Amino acid sequence: MKFLLTAVNAKYIHSNPAVFSLKGYAMAHLTEAEKEYCQIEIVEYTINQQPEQIVAGLFKKQPDVIGFSCYIWNWSMIKSLLPELHKVCPNTKIWLGGPEVSFHGQKILEDFPYLSGIMIGEGEEAFLELCRGYGNQLSEEELFQIPGLLTRNGYSAERPLTDLNKIPFFYHDLTDFENRIVYYESSRGCPYRCSYCLSSIDKKVRLRQMDLVKQELQFFLDKKVPQVKFIDRTFNCNKDHAMAIWSYLLEHDNGVTNFHFEISADILTREELDLLGKMRPGLAQLEIGVQSTNPETIQAIARKMDVEKLRKVVEQIRNKENIHVHLDLIVGLPYEDFPTFQNSFNEVYSMYPEQLQLGFLKVLKGSPIEAQAKEYGIAYKSEPNYEVLYTNWISYEEVLRLKAVEEMLETFYNSNQFRHTIGMLEQYFPSPFVLYQSLAEYYEKKGYDLQSPARVKRYEILRDFAVEHAHMEKEMAEELLTYDMYLRENMKTRPELAKDLTPYKEIIREIYQKEEETRNYLPEYADYNSKQLSKMTHMEVFGYSVWQLRNCHKLEKEAYVLFEYQARNPLTKDSRVIWIDRME
């Protein structure tokens, strides 16, 4: 029997740990004899591929049994594949699994009568028994008695939660994960009850044994994997578990690998903060779900959070300048209207994370908020991703306005390409939200929202906005943007908005010649002459203190600034900046 586990990912860089876990668990527990008749293969596609291409690829595999891993991002694609796949592979048994089909499954079976069934919840044990059942040629009636399966006969029986320590490590061969994000799971479940999240249903937190975790993390460290993303729902819900992992990573840091954790910041202790503060810049990044700062909203979604403590914790982490901080907000939650969301936005923005994600409520199947949607007047898309359209507190028009704000936030804040210009622009508006709302209105007025301007063009647009809308001095705006540009890249073509350096060419040439003799600023470039140095680095002349975030002012004399691109800030990816003292 050939079993084909199929993942349809959102992007190529993503992988699907679920299908690898299913295969790994089955292969670890099947006997050698059972493996003879249970051939398990994994195939991965993306939602950007043509459905015809995926169906053809699956057909060529000629599986006896095929299983799809279903989520909100791929369910529409999978639904389009199922009828065509059944036509070309009429004898193939088709099973579904994953959070998108673990609820309201009976309706799915009615819509797709050729499905064999659905694996509900955690699938490792159910898939193992299904493999054995098909291999032993059990009748359908016998197969459908396996706990954790939903068929037309109904739900067989609830299955006990999986022992995480019995799930084998499946990353021994990293060939399939080159240039892709590696996901890792050290716990399952969540102690919190946030009504918009499916993790609120699985209340029991289960931890993987620390000796196994350390062995597996060492594998990633030895292989110098670029990034490992923990998929634990609240990584630090168990302090001892979190401290043990963070301590191990600090002690065994390879100088390369980055580890991503989703945490609850307001429960971090002084001991945990001290440990995090010792980490190499770039070793860890933290994603923190704030969602809202409105007390009524926080209470309505059954979330426990001390906003003031969270603010202080984020400030302490940020002050160390060694950890990338990612904060989340959600539009469309109960009791959050347009004014209160503005306030949530401004409060979270003032914490100045490296990333501020402005998300929109997804009414997930099986989540508590799905049952409360009518009560709260939440209208949402009928098809995945089930995103909010409006609620009792926020209109569709306001949601659209916030969509435009989100786009500006992604373009001008989260890109980290305009940090100093945006930082100064904040001083020209009554609040950060008003700044991004004004940018969105400017984009729409100029028609840029329909054009997707190229990167260099976005600098010019921001210059025009700063001058026309904020009434910033043009020279200051252009110098700020020039500084932001060269922080990120040694531009091959001189940007239109940058000042003419012709009057300074001789001085710049002399500086590089002196550097060739003294090696005061670039000792690591000892093997290069002045001409080579001038090509490998960049020197700019500024009349404003553009490097001072939110405090740019006119200088008494012009400053010569050298951008060195080999040593970049691991959090911002900015180049190293050297101020040249011409009085030497």
Side-chain angles (χ1 to χ4, degrees), residues 230-503:
F230 277 70
I231 55 175
D232 304 37
R233 297 312 302 158
T234 304
F235 174 77
N236 63 322
C237 65
N238 183 297
K239 177 189 171 185
D240 292 342
H241 183 79
M243 284 287 290
I245 290 175
W246 284 337
S247 296
Y248 188 84
L249 295 179
L250 177 62
E251 183 180 348
H252 297 83
D253 179 23
N254 62 11
V256 175
T257 305
N258 166 266
F259 293 87
H260 177 105
F261 306 93
E262 190 170 333
I263 69 162
S264 178
D266 57 316
I267 64 171
L268 284 174
T269 64
R270 166 51 56 192
E271 188 180 6
E272 289 171 297
L273 286 168
D274 288 344
L275 180 59
L276 289 169
K278 297 174 183 176
M279 289 186 171
R280 161 183 61 85
L283 172 59
Q285 62 186 55
L286 303 178
E287 181 173 353
I288 302 166
V290 184
Q291 320 314 7
S292 173
T293 63
N294 180 21
E296 200 171 5
T297 298
I298 294 171
Q299 183 178 3
I301 60 177
R303 187 167 176 77
K304 293 182 179 180
M305 182 178 65
D306 184 332
V307 175
E308 193 50 42
K309 185 177 180 185
L310 182 145
R311 173 187 293 279
K312 291 177 181 177
V313 166
V314 171
E315 182 180 5
Q316 291 175 69
I317 295 171
R318 295 274 294 126
N319 285 343
K320 293 290 186 177
E321 297 184 346
N322 69 322
I323 290 180
H324 179 286
V325 176
H326 176 135
L327 301 181
D328 295 332
L329 283 171
I330 296 179
V331 174
L333 295 173
Y335 301 100
E336 188 87 277
D337 57 18
F338 199 77
T340 61
F341 185 81
Q342 287 187 57
N343 185 62
S344 290
F345 181 98
N346 290 328
E347 284 196 68
V348 175
Y349 188 96
S350 69
M351 300 178 198
Y352 292 111
E354 277 72 35
Q355 293 271 310
L356 172 53
Q357 182 175 333
L358 178 52
F360 292 76
L361 176 66
K362 312 294 189 294
V363 182
L364 303 177
K365 291 179 180 177
S367 65
I369 210 162
E370 183 192 32
Q372 299 169 308
K374 187 174 181 180
E375 174 190 350
Y376 292 139
I378 300 174
Y380 56 95
K381 294 178 181 178
S382 301
E383 293 293 319
N385 55 5
Y386 312 117
E387 194 171 86
V388 66
L389 298 171
Y390 58 85
T391 73
N392 283 341
W393 297 273
I394 195 164
S395 68
Y396 180 54
E397 180 184 356
E398 290 169 329
V399 168
L400 292 179
R401 287 166 63 188
L402 292 173
K403 281 277 186 183
V405 169
E406 177 205 19
E407 184 64 28
M408 294 300 97
L409 190 70
E410 287 296 316
T411 300
F412 293 107
Y413 185 89
N414 289 339
S415 69
N416 207 37
Q417 295 172 358
F418 308 89
R419 209 156 51 93
H420 296 80
T421 310
I422 285 292
M424 195 59 197
L425 268 173
E426 290 169 19
Q427 316 307 309
Y428 289 75
F429 291 85
S431 73
F433 184 87
V434 174
L435 164 59
Y436 290 96
Q437 183 174 244
S438 300
L439 259 171
E441 291 168 353
Y442 184 80
Y443 249 61
E444 184 175 359
K445 178 182 176 183
K446 297 290 187 177
Y448 298 134
D449 57 326
L450 304 175
Q451 297 176 15
S452 299
R455 185 172 63 86
V456 173
K457 179 64 176 177
R458 292 196 290 270
Y459 286 87
E460 296 171 6
I461 291 171
L462 192 57
R463 184 266 316 273
D464 296 342
F465 171 79
V467 174
E468 296 172 19
H469 197 88
H471 307 297
M472 182 185 287
E473 291 180 42
K474 184 178 180 183
E475 185 181 358
M476 178 192 285
E478 291 188 333
E479 286 205 1
L480 282 162
L481 287 160
T482 300
Y483 186 76
D484 279 332
M485 264 189 171
Y486 281 103
L487 266 180
R488 306 289 293 191
E489 180 182 352
N490 191 356
M491 308 288 291
K492 293 181 179 178
T493 303
R494 184 75 173 162
E496 172 268 329
L497 55 78
K499 71 166 63 174
D500 181 8
L501 290 182
T502 302

Side-chain angles (χ1 to χ4, degrees), residues 138-196:
L138 297 184
S139 67
E140 284 198 351
E141 185 176 344
E142 291 173 308
L143 280 175
F144 297 162
Q145 298 305 309
I146 295 172
L149 303 184
L150 177 68
T151 68
R152 283 167 188 79
N153 296 331
Y155 185 44
S156 55
E158 188 168 351
R159 179 176 287 281
L161 295 174
T162 309
D163 181 351
L164 289 193
N165 300 305
K166 291 183 178 179
I167 299 176
F169 185 65
F170 49 79
Y171 283 113
H172 297 294
D173 182 359
L174 289 174
T175 305
D176 292 331
F177 303 97
E178 290 182 10
N179 303 313
R180 303 172 77 185
I181 298 171
V182 170
Y183 298 98
Y184 181 74
E185 183 177 44
S186 74
S187 69
R188 281 186 186 175
C190 182
Y192 300 109
R193 305 290 182 268
C194 303
S195 63
Y196 53 83

